[in-house]
Amino acid sequence: DVKVTQSSRYLVKRTGEKVFLECVQDMDHENMFWYRQDPGLGLRLIYFSYDVKMKEKGDIPEGYSVSREKKERFSLILESASTNQTSMYLCASSFQLRLAGGPETQYFGPGTRLLVL
Amino acid sequence: TQLLEQSPQFLSIQEGENLTVYCNSSSVFSSLQWYRQEPGEGPVLLVTVVTGGEVKKLKRLTFQFGDARKDSSLHITAAQPGDTGLYLCAGASGTYKYIFGTGTRLKVLA
């Protein structure tokens, strides 16, 4: 079974703190994703990585950065946490880039609920 | 900007009832996925539809992709409390990106 784990289920931080969210997958997937989930907005893509040290911005990258030094690990960094970054953060992974018209399955971790005070 | 609107946003029904959830967009998608998310967990893939007009069945769940590949529906027959959760549709956009819908929160009462 594919397993995607996230370092924390719940996190409380202060405004201005630097926050690290870690994600690890055990299926040798090339692709890894970070999303945030807010009520009524669905999931919004923050960053995507298709290989080690490779990253691409998603829809809402402002205020975030990412790091992928090893294939199995993808980290999301909040450089200076703000209250509007309070949210549920979901990590996902999948095999290879999608072939034309051919979808791949994204496997999600359990999420990290972050509260910024 | 591509958007996926889901309706209804909330649904509370009695066990045994039928229901349909809709996922609509003005954009064309090469494929569309449906996920279910239970409290405290990440979304889990239920189905992927690729061809316009395609219908897929998963036990009591029936998924349909619109002919123009802009919309989709999920129909549940004889809902059970175990069907409770957040249902999300996601349309494939570009080479790697998915656009997620706004979600439908379903509660099935015993």
Side-chain angles (χ1 to χ4, degrees):
Chain A
D1 271 355
V2 175
K3 195 157 186 185
V4 180
T5 55
Q6 295 184 229
S7 51
S8 304
R9 295 298 292 264
Y10 301 94
L11 214 49
V12 181
K13 295 292 181 181
R14 295 270 176 204
T15 302
E17 280 192 73
K18 191 168 186 175
V19 181
F20 293 86
L21 302 182
E22 304 284 340
C23 175
V24 178
Q25 51 95 1
D26 65 359
M27 277 300 291
D28 204 33
H29 285 167
E30 291 85 0
N31 297 347
M32 295 189 76
F33 307 81
W34 275 106
Y35 294 90
R36 64 176 283 177
Q37 183 175 27
D38 300 289
L41 296 178
L43 274 68
R44 291 178 293 166
L45 182 65
I46 303 172
Y47 266 99
F48 158 74
S49 170
Y50 55 89
D51 202 350
V52 174
K53 296 190 187 296
M54 306 305 291
K55 62 185 178 185
E56 287 197 23
K57 293 180 180 179
D59 296 317
I60 50 165
E62 296 79 18
Y64 304 95
S65 61
V66 290
S67 172
R68 191 154 180 213
E69 297 297 319
K70 293 185 178 181
K71 191 175 186 180
E72 67 271 18
R73 188 179 298 268
F74 193 33
S75 302
L76 179 69
I77 303 148
L78 285 64
E79 297 292 341
S80 177
S82 63
T83 54
N84 63 14
Q85 292 179 309
T86 290
S87 187
M88 168 72 94
Y89 289 88
L90 288 163
C91 174
S93 70
S94 72
F95 275 119
Q96 59 190 257
L97 289 172
R98 183 184 320 124
L99 301 176
E104 78 278 345
T105 297
Q106 290 190 47
Y107 296 88
F108 284 86
T112 296
R113 192 168 289 282
L114 172 67
L115 174 62
V116 183
L117 299 173
Chain B
T1 304
Q2 291 176 302
L3 289 173
L4 272 171
E5 297 285 342
Q6 285 186 238
S7 61
Q9 195 174 356
F10 299 98
L11 195 53
S12 181
I13 61 171
Q14 292 294 132
E15 182 176 4
E17 290 185 14
N18 301 333
L19 67 114
T20 302
V21 176
Y22 299 94
C23 174
N24 294 298
S25 176
S26 57
S27 302
V28 176
F29 295 100
S30 57
S31 64
L32 194 137
Q33 299 184 330
W34 283 93
Y35 291 81
R36 180 169 66 213
Q37 184 179 18
E38 298 186 16
E41 300 297 329
V44 175
L45 181 68
L46 296 173
V47 78
T48 303
V49 285
V50 179
T51 307
E54 183 176 1
V55 177
K56 279 194 175 178
K57 289 195 174 185
L58 187 68
K59 296 184 181 178
R60 295 176 293 100
L61 277 61
T62 301
F63 304 86
Q64 184 160 10
F65 201 11
D67 291 340
R69 291 185 288 132
K70 293 183 178 181
D71 54 86
S72 181
S73 64
L74 156 60
H75 182 79
I76 302 180
T77 304
Q80 297 177 359
D83 296 326
T84 292
L86 178 68
Y87 288 81
L88 295 160
C89 61
S93 173
T95 54
Y96 66 86
K97 196 173 162 180
Y98 280 92
I99 305 294
F100 278 82
T102 48
T104 294
R105 193 166 294 280
L106 171 66
K107 186 164 188 177
V108 182
L109 304 168

